[in-house]
Amino acid sequence: MTTTRTRVAIIGAGPSGLLLGALLHKADIDHVIIERQSPDYVLGRIRAGILEQVTVDLLHEAGVGQGVESGGTVHHSIELVFKNTRHPIDVTGLTKGKVVTAYGQTEVTRDLMAQRSQLNLPTVYEAADVQLHDFDGHQPSVSYTKDGVNHRLHCDFIAGCDGFHGVARASVPKDAITEYEKVYPFAWLGVLADVPPVSSHAIVYANSERGFALCSMRSMTRSRYYVQCPSSDKVEDWSDQRFWDEVRRRLDPELADRMQTGPSIEKSMAPLRSFVAEPMRFGRLFLAGDAAHIVPPTGAKGLNLAASDVKYLSSALIEHYKEKSDAGIDHYSQRALARIWRAERFSWWLTTLMHQFPESGAFGQRMQEAELDYLVRSQALSTSLAENYVGLPLDFG
Ligand code: FAS
Ligand code: PHB
């Protein structure tokens, strides 16, 4: 058994863990990231694609903003399709100048991993049997096995950035945590293809009687599409041809005609759920990102919520070490949860508005169409959509 010490032990090398590590390094705060998968495995997970300005600013603050600056595509609007008609929502106009940026989570992760490697920052990949110890006491530590050797990392704090299925939240006593969850009766099937996006200036969200579809992008030559499908479906049930035909059926005729298709380079299914664990702090353990909350991807909030958690947590840890104050640490959970619940509401609302719910039938479809019809004509409701889509301010109150 080898024993080492650091200030902050970060569990997970996804966007949350990597971003937290970058910000702690910038503040000269020792930390170690412990990740159970390999770097290639982490990079191989195709997930989010839309960044709020808060997230873009944080990437610059962390010193990795050059990637999104050169490779990101700024969007000023989104498009809603319903009753076979497409309606633009002027997101920038409705929010007095705010934008979102299309830049994949894979690229964000790659940029953070590259910086970490150049700086030679301590990162343990393929760590097995990761366990947390004494995080509700004064001498927390993390144990793990690497290449058959047992290790124990003593630390001041543990950041659980290990996602929904991680060990951090699972290590908290059941009577110390409250979990809120809603599982949706459908999933998303996503395809990545090296074809130009059908709309390079706006993400397209389609409500149709056949179900939801989304047209997104990763670059001017790489597109990301999703269709709502039954949770019981398997990826192998969907040939490329079946997928492209179904996307076309859910779009308006002009967009369907314009859409370029090609062989999928990645195809995966994602279940949809809303989930929040409260609180997000247990003694010297803090949860951040998907370890603490999940949103249905409809509102493009998952990655962005992880970023705002990390902003709050990194600020609190820096304040602890540099200003000898625990105000930020003591306030972290409450502050993060205020923003999380607002994003949970928005993601639930947009998912409920855009997807087919078998139990609500034809009347439910008409209610969705009536609300969409009202939304595209109402300055108030479209402003509400727009200000949530670009992300509410970190200090929204
Ligand atoms: P992650 O889950 O990304 O990272 C956690 C890391 O911890 C992983 O690398 C994991 O290997 C590691 N880990 C787990 N257990 C461990 C252990 N015991 N020991 C050590 N390490 C451990 N968001 C959007 O905004 N738009 C989308 O379209 C979208 N699509 C998604 C599709 C899927 C299938 C999933 C699962 C999520 C999607 N999300 C989407 C949300 C997603 O982007 C997350 O919000 C984002 O990955 C959160 O990042 P992390 O908190 O770092 O968690
Ligand atoms: C994506 O590009 O993966 C994406 C975009 C917008 C969403 C969800 C996912 O709302």
Side-chain angles (χ1 to χ4, degrees), residues 11-17 34-37 42 45-49 105 130 161-163 165-167 188 226 269-270 288-291 297 300-303 306:
I11 303 179
S16 297
I34 301 167
E35 164 61 50
R36 75 174 168 189
Q37 303 291 358
V42 174
R45 291 187 306 230
I46 305 301
R47 290 186 174 168
Q105 174 172 323
V130 176
C161 299
D162 51 348
H165 300 291
V167 66
W188 276 18
Y226 297 93
M269 280 189 69
D290 277 20
K301 291 298 161 206
L303 177 56

Side-chain angles (χ1 to χ4, degrees), residues 283-331:
R284 292 177 172 252
L285 168 63
F286 299 92
L287 302 180
D290 277 20
H293 45 75
I294 296 287
V295 283
T298 322
K301 291 298 161 206
L303 177 56
N304 293 298
L305 273 183
S308 46
D309 288 354
V310 165
K311 173 64 180 171
Y312 296 139
L313 181 55
S314 59
S315 303
L317 291 167
I318 291 166
E319 186 187 70
H320 169 83
Y321 286 110
K322 305 299 181 186
E323 297 166 32
K324 309 299 178 214
S325 160
D326 280 357
I329 280 178
D330 293 340
H331 192 45

Side-chain angles (χ1 to χ4, degrees), residues 197-220:
V198 70
S199 167
S200 59
H201 62 277
I203 305 294
V204 180
Y205 294 80
N207 167 298
S208 86
E209 294 184 352
R210 299 180 66 90
F212 173 74
L214 187 148
C215 309
S216 183
M217 60 185 286
R218 291 294 179 269
S219 70
M220 290 307 178

